[in-house]
Amino acid sequence: MFRGLFFARGLATSVRNVESVRNTLKASDSRKTFLIDMYTHFWRENEIVLLAHHNNLLSTENESIRKQLRKIDSKHTENRLEFRKLKGSLFRYFLRANGHQDPASKAAARWIKRHNIRHPLENLCKGPTAAIIIKELDPKLVKDVIKFLSTQKDRLFVMGGKVGDEIMTLENLEEFKNMSSLPELRAELVGLLNMASGGGVTRTLEAASSTLAMTLESRVNELEKGEIKE
């Protein structure tokens, strides 16, 4: 009896261990799985990803570009800007699979095939492609990055990307880079509310709270009068 119990427990543990192993399209320790996991992480954990075409940059050119981007980043309170070269064909596959919970899984591959999934940015990833990754929403940082890349001409240039959950064309990015940052928008909102207070916004809010207080006080007086009569 005890031997059967121990066997059942061991079998249940083995089943749980098997279920916890990812059923990946390629071996879980393969380079392709590693790269798809890396793409998944930076795509989902960062607000802005700019896709750029590069003309087969040399290692010295890569380092020079990274150095310049770090300088730009340091002017914007260290937004953790990164520059990564991408494996184009694999990144195109990731873009299609990104709607699945685990893009590296066999289930994701079946899902892509079943629904004939395509991604609007995958056509930008033909040829040597790089990603410029920005942690937070910062239009001014994007503006400085695009300005710097314009000096690189055909060596490295932005083609599109994503901001938040929105897919961005180059035209969209041109509009976005000229927007105010979130702190600036908050400051503008506070200023508008302060200006509007003269027009009655603050008085309206204060009047509403005063009315509520008077109503509650009146109700308390009524209850007290009722108790005295009883």
Side-chain angles (χ1 to χ4, degrees):
M1 177 179 176
F2 289 106
R3 183 179 299 175
L5 181 60
F6 290 143
F7 174 79
R9 287 178 177 173
L11 180 61
T13 302
S14 299
V15 170
R16 285 196 297 270
N17 289 337
V18 169
E19 290 176 347
S20 65
V21 176
R22 293 172 66 197
N23 190 13
T24 53
L25 185 62
K26 300 297 181 181
S28 59
D29 58 350
S30 68
R31 177 169 174 75
K32 287 187 176 180
T33 300
F34 168 78
L35 287 175
I36 289 177
D37 286 345
M38 182 182 72
Y39 298 156
T40 302
H41 175 74
F42 77 62
W43 189 264
R44 295 180 180 179
E45 297 299 319
N46 295 277
E47 291 291 346
I48 300 174
V49 178
L50 305 178
L51 297 178
H53 180 84
H54 66 87
N55 192 13
N56 293 315
L57 296 170
L58 301 174
S59 59
T60 53
E61 293 174 316
N62 284 335
E63 185 53 37
S64 175
I65 288 169
R66 287 190 172 94
K67 184 177 180 180
Q68 292 299 320
L69 291 174
R70 283 195 295 269
K71 285 184 179 179
I72 293 172
D73 193 20
S74 65
K75 297 177 183 178
H76 295 264
T77 63
E78 296 291 345
N79 205 329
R80 286 188 284 175
L81 185 153
E82 297 180 51
F83 174 77
R84 291 182 181 274
K85 282 186 175 180
L86 305 174
K87 187 174 177 60
S89 59
L90 199 60
F91 191 73
R92 287 197 302 272
Y93 174 82
F94 157 73
L95 288 174
R96 297 176 185 177
N98 183 49
H100 193 274
Q101 182 179 2
D102 184 358
S105 67
K106 290 182 179 179
R110 292 193 296 269
W111 176 71
I112 292 171
K113 187 175 181 180
R114 186 184 309 119
H115 298 284
N116 192 27
I117 302 297
R118 292 292 182 270
H119 193 279
L121 292 176
E122 64 180 85
N123 288 332
L124 302 184
C125 304
K126 295 178 180 178
T129 309
I132 299 165
I133 306 158
I134 302 172
K135 182 67 178 175
E136 304 293 342
L137 289 172
D138 189 342
K140 290 190 175 181
L141 179 53
V142 172
K143 184 175 184 178
D144 286 349
V145 168
I146 292 178
K147 182 179 179 181
F148 162 68
L149 294 183
S150 67
T151 65
Q152 304 300 303
K153 298 183 178 178
D154 61 346
R155 292 169 62 214
L156 180 67
F157 54 90
V158 173
M159 301 178 292
K162 72 114 178 176
V163 174
D165 295 326
E166 297 295 323
I167 302 302
M168 307 291 278
T169 64
L170 191 56
E171 291 75 17
N172 297 146
L173 289 172
E174 286 293 325
E175 294 177 4
F176 173 77
K177 73 179 187 180
N178 294 316
M179 293 175 61
S180 300
S181 64
L182 285 176
E184 289 173 336
L185 289 173
R186 293 190 186 102
E188 290 175 10
L189 178 60
V190 170
L192 288 172
L193 289 174
N194 288 334
M195 291 174 62
S197 65
V201 174
T202 302
R203 288 199 300 273
T204 301
L205 293 174
E206 290 175 348
S209 60
S210 299
T211 302
L212 177 60
M214 291 174 63
T215 302
L216 291 174
E217 184 177 359
S218 174
R219 180 58 178 161
V220 169
N221 290 335
E222 290 177 1
L223 291 174
E224 288 177 348
K225 290 178 180 178
E227 290 177 358
I228 292 172
K229 289 179 180 180
E230 291 178 1

